[in-house]
Amino acid sequence: MFAPEDLTQDGFLGGRLTLAQPRAGYRSAMDAVLLAAACPARAGQGVLELGCGAGVASLCLGARVPGLGLTGLEVQPAYAALARRNAAANGLVLEVVEGDLAAMPAALRARSFDQVIANPPYFAPFSGTAAADSGRETAQREATPLAVWIDAALRRLRPGGYLTLIQQAERLGDILAALPPRAGSSVVLPVAPRAGRAAGRVIVQARKGGRGPLRLLAPFVLHAAPHHAADHEDLTPEAQAILRAGAVLTLPR
């Protein structure tokens, strides 16, 4: 477990949430908030987050949409405990199940959900330099193939339910290849740092049982200035509304 001195207290959604995160471990930021904003959950629905970490995405979603049944699956016990603590500290209910999605815990195998969200690890095995912190390395580097993440998500979805995930843009082909034939009507939103710059992330949403065509949307642009000129926030109005005010990131379907 994390000692108090190993944690920071970080504000999300313009201060609506204050969440503890490890000072040296894996720290959620913009991607988790975008993921939560893109999930089309409605009050009364059940939402499962695969790899919930400290609970940032699930709790941002819960802060925006009251009345959800939020469940997270997390393989690292210290992060699972931190997610529970963060939920309680912010007056939200988040059930956190400890376990590996590649060997789905019995507590989840018999259940299904209206929505599944995920922010799978971005870095390929044996690529780059390993993080000094083991928790950060586990969260960031792929040990379980992306196709297994998607398979686990689709198994937990109800027919007609939605899978929403955020991932590096270069993995888009792998994501789209893993969805058929169980899911379709896919929508892809590239996320670009600035206008005219290549997308570094993609948000992909697919419907279980969907048969509609793939839709590739215009990029969502994060920063207003054409280049980074100074150390101050220069978010576009659209990004500001989502990251600071908890607005919805609607993906047309």
Side-chain angles (χ1 to χ4, degrees):
M1 301 303 170
F2 295 106
E5 61 270 21
D6 295 331
L7 298 172
T8 62
Q9 299 294 323
D10 303 316
F12 288 87
L13 304 182
R16 287 170 62 186
L17 295 173
T18 300
L19 304 176
Q21 297 201 92
R23 192 180 302 276
Y26 178 72
R27 298 173 58 81
S28 294
M30 187 179 295
D31 288 357
V33 183
L34 292 172
L35 175 64
C39 178
R42 303 187 307 273
Q45 290 191 327
V47 182
L48 171 65
E49 181 181 4
L50 298 178
C52 70
V56 175
S58 287
L59 296 175
C60 284
L61 178 57
R64 176 171 64 81
V65 185
L68 295 175
L70 296 171
T71 302
L73 174 64
E74 175 52 45
V75 71
Q76 301 190 77
Y79 284 82
L82 193 55
R84 296 186 190 102
R85 168 181 164 177
N86 280 332
N90 287 273
L92 295 168
V93 177
L94 172 63
E95 175 193 4
V96 183
V97 178
E98 294 178 24
D100 188 341
L101 63 86
M104 190 63 65
L108 292 176
R109 281 202 304 268
R111 296 168 61 185
S112 58
F113 297 84
D114 302 288
Q115 311 281 342
V116 176
I117 62 174
N119 180 10
Y122 287 164
F123 302 129
F126 312 113
S127 64
T129 303
D133 180 85
S134 61
R136 185 173 185 176
E137 176 69 6
T138 297
Q140 290 186 331
R141 194 166 311 279
E142 182 178 290
T144 300
L146 184 54
V148 176
W149 280 75
I150 293 172
D151 175 71
L154 294 177
R155 287 176 182 273
R156 301 278 67 78
L157 268 178
R158 294 191 176 104
Y162 286 93
L163 166 63
T164 306
L165 55 82
I166 188 167
Q167 181 57 265
Q168 290 194 99
E170 65 189 47
R171 301 300 303 275
L172 178 59
D174 297 328
I175 295 168
L176 296 178
L179 292 170
R182 290 178 291 167
S185 304
S186 302
V187 179
V188 178
L189 177 65
V191 180
R194 301 179 190 276
R197 297 277 296 275
R201 302 281 187 266
V202 287
I203 297 173
V204 180
Q205 192 169 92
R207 189 176 190 185
K208 186 170 183 177
R211 296 292 180 263
L214 170 69
R215 300 187 65 183
L216 178 61
L217 305 179
F220 182 83
V221 179
L222 293 169
H223 298 285
H227 55 83
H228 180 71
D231 288 331
H232 62 82
E233 187 169 273
D234 67 339
L235 296 172
T236 62
E238 295 80 9
Q240 181 86 16
I242 289 166
L243 298 173
R244 301 292 177 257
V248 179
L249 179 54
T250 302
L251 304 187
R253 297 193 295 271

